[in-house]
Amino acid sequence: MAKLLKMGPSPHVRTSETVEKVMYDVIIALLPALLMAVYVFGIQALTTTLIAVGTCMATEGIMQKIMGKDIDIKDGSAIITGILFAFVVPVTMAYWIVIVGSVISILLGKMLFGGLGHNIFNPALVGRAFVQASWPVAITTFVLDGQAGPTMLDAMKRGLDGTLVAAGNPYVNALLGKMGGTIGETSAIALLLGGAYLIYKGQVNWKVPAIIIGTVGIGAFLFGGDPIMHMLSGGLFLGAFFMATDMVTSPYTEKGQMIFAFGIGALVTLIRFKGGYPEGMAYSILIMNGVVPLINKYTKPKMFGGVAK
Amino acid sequence: MKLFTFKGGVHPSENKVQTENEAIQTFDAPKMVHVALLQHIGAPLNALVKPGDRVLKGQKIADSEAFMSAPVHSSVSGVVKKIEFLPFPLSGKVNTIIIENDGEEELAELTTIKDWKSAPKEDLLAMIREKGIVGVGGACFPTHIKLNPPKDVTIDTLVMNGAECEPYLNADNRLMLEDPKSIIEGIKIIMHILGVKNAKIGIENNKPEAIASMIKASEGDNGIEVCPLKTQYPQGGEKQLIKAILDREVPSGKLPSAVGVVVQNTATAALVYEGIVKGMPLIEKVVTISGKAIKKPMNLKVRIGTMFRDMLDYAGVEREDVDKLVMGGPMMGMAQHSEDVPVVKGTSGLLALTTAETNPCKAKNCILCGKCIGACPMGLEPLMYAKLAKFNQWEEMGKYKLMDCISCGSCSYICPANRPLTEAINIGKAKLRAMPRK
Ligand code: SF4
Ligand code: SF4
């Protein structure tokens, strides 16, 4: 025989899906929100995002080299971390802080755990938590149309009128993203569009964002807040569609994912209404990330033919 | 129409169109046939002939005293040339009887039981064994053993597997279209042996013509019902089939008989009919030859002992393009390292797959996407097997119910990171089997 035939166990065919395709689907899904961010905050939103992405990829490449692994920065995961990190900081943030935060995201959030698939916490949120601890003012200074002002959640927490945040109907503004906030979180409709794409592509189980957003809505109602406004503002949509659904840092059975989602929604509500911060999405996700191993342990799939005891 | 199905599974590209309308062709008996002496689960057989002997078509040429065995027969008339230790498709080597075909097609004297309705069950089972019939769905479990379930269980239903859920394959499909009567007659004989009144034939709904054909052939037979199944791999897994059609769940570690069911393949039923009523032993197989490297994909009826190389030459093959040569379906078939191995009773397909089909891809870290869990029809956590195997934690794998895995390959198929899941499963099972039982 001229050619050596390949051996190896069955199956001999595999899905066309690869890790890269999964990751690039997420990147595509993040684009509408990026476009809206440029529209609302100006070109600096794009610059910040590109800087974060570049820093993340470089950090990952250097780390892979140091750790003696294959350089695999094009798998898309570092790009996602970069975009997400940029999305959770304000557009006014100094570039050097953006760079530090991006390095931390990859370094502490991902590579020290062993790289993609081994990290426990969402890398971008690790970077954000670090920046929040180090430069608390820089990360909570929000600007819209050149004017510093409160975010919608701030305003609600302090009992201010929503129309103070931006002119026009506050609900429409929240939908479109015309309000103060971090780069990627403001436009509910753009995030929804991206999320719908991921659901359509089978990368995201719709129940996860639905439960998170639903829980916050109901929670806000119970605490006497404005449920619609609470659902539309802050990082809720961004987190619900793009962070709580991160495969690596969420449970791997559907049941587990639902518990995880409910936990996030409940924590967000508690932080927003009872805690010291106006927003709590990032911390809620990080906390629930830490609980994932436990959730996985107690939500094993139902075994076929398992004997009922 | 109501569609039956199970939970989990995957939807690989069906690739049935290449051969679904290809009528079964008969391949001329080759000049030399190589009859391997291990064609079933169990121990190799002992040859009953020696070099120089003249044998007739249908003559028993090897058998064994072992419980788990079924004899093999010569598929041609001719002279035994050699008995040699040769490679065969189930990996490794085995004693093989090489017969030179004299082209006479002279038949051995064939025993039959024409009036099977009044024959005792024991005689029918003995006849099934004598005809060398094994489950041709792939596992090659001797049929006479499967049709003789333990005395302490009551069997109430015969489930016939016509799902043919493996992509590419159409051998069963074509048989259901071209010879439904033999299958139905075989089913009646099996029902008689088992003493059951109900038989359900499960067929995936991507084979509407086969469904219609079997419904037509079973008309007037109360008790035989055709159940269209959703096209979903592994719909033809025994436990999945029983769950889909009867909504009964075979308990972990048990056989289908535990829930009152015996499963048989439709092609096996036709063999039972041929064997008992016509006296013909299992010496021929319908094989689907397909894959992108094959020029003329087809369904070919070949003699047991025909070499893969001859069949590939007949169908035409771009040898340079072949990435994997597979006996059976792409999901559970076996990769072959050579074309120079013979057809055995379990050969249902011969696939010459190109890289466009096998889609090789570097293994990455597990991204914990959970897709393997969603795909596992047994409700297991396949991702754990790759993790545990890496650290040789075989016993731990057992705790993750490895022995319930049906090796369907759905998990490996769906994994975007191309984790070596089935590798880990195969090694783990072998290690666990070798461990002393506690
Ligand atoms: S673990 Fe076993 S039963 Fe489950 S999908 Fe994988 S091969 Fe199939
Ligand atoms: S499908 Fe692959 S990547 Fe996804 S959880 Fe299973 S083993 Fe990991």
Side-chain angles (χ1 to χ4, degrees), chain A residues 110-129:
Chain A
K110 186 172 170 192
M111 298 316 283
L112 285 190
F113 287 97
L116 178 63
H118 295 301
N119 50 307
I120 296 174
F121 301 102
N122 188 306
L125 291 179
V126 171
R128 187 199 139 105

Side-chain angles (χ1 to χ4, degrees), chain A residues 1 3 6-7 10 12 14-15 17-20 70 72 116-117 203 247-248 252 300 302 304-305, chain B residues 249 252 320 322-324 330-331 333 339 359 362 364-366 368 371 373 378 381 413 415-416 422:
Chain A
M1 169 150 302
K3 196 168 168 241
K6 212 159 48 200
M7 296 301 285
S10 57
H12 309 289
R14 62 179 302 276
T15 158
E17 194 155 86
T18 57
V19 172
E20 284 80 4
D70 292 345
D72 196 6
L116 178 63
Q203 309 299 9
M247 291 165 177
V248 178
Y252 45 63
K300 295 211 174 271
K302 192 197 160 292
F304 186 100
Chain B
E249 216 167 289
S252 164
E320 280 308 305
V322 183
D323 182 45
K324 265 187 177 179
M331 297 299 287
E339 294 177 29
N359 189 18
K362 240 182 90 192
K364 299 237 162 138
N365 286 354
C366 169
L368 296 166
K371 286 181 200 253
I373 295 175
M378 298 307 290
E381 293 166 90
Y413 171 85
C415 177
T422 41

Side-chain angles (χ1 to χ4, degrees), chain A residues 125-186:
Chain A
L125 291 179
V126 171
R128 187 199 139 105
F130 180 84
V131 171
Q132 179 137 28
S134 311
W135 300 281
V137 179
I139 205 162
T140 46
T141 307
F142 300 106
V143 168
L144 185 68
D145 298 335
Q147 293 252 303
T151 64
M152 197 49 131
L153 289 170
D154 261 334
M156 288 196 289
K157 186 128 196 154
R158 289 192 253 146
L160 302 176
D161 182 355
T163 49
L164 285 177
V165 177
N169 184 325
Y171 295 105
V172 175
N173 287 342
L175 259 186
L176 292 178
K178 291 183 74 172
M179 55 187 190
T182 67
I183 289 178
E185 73 180 13
T186 60

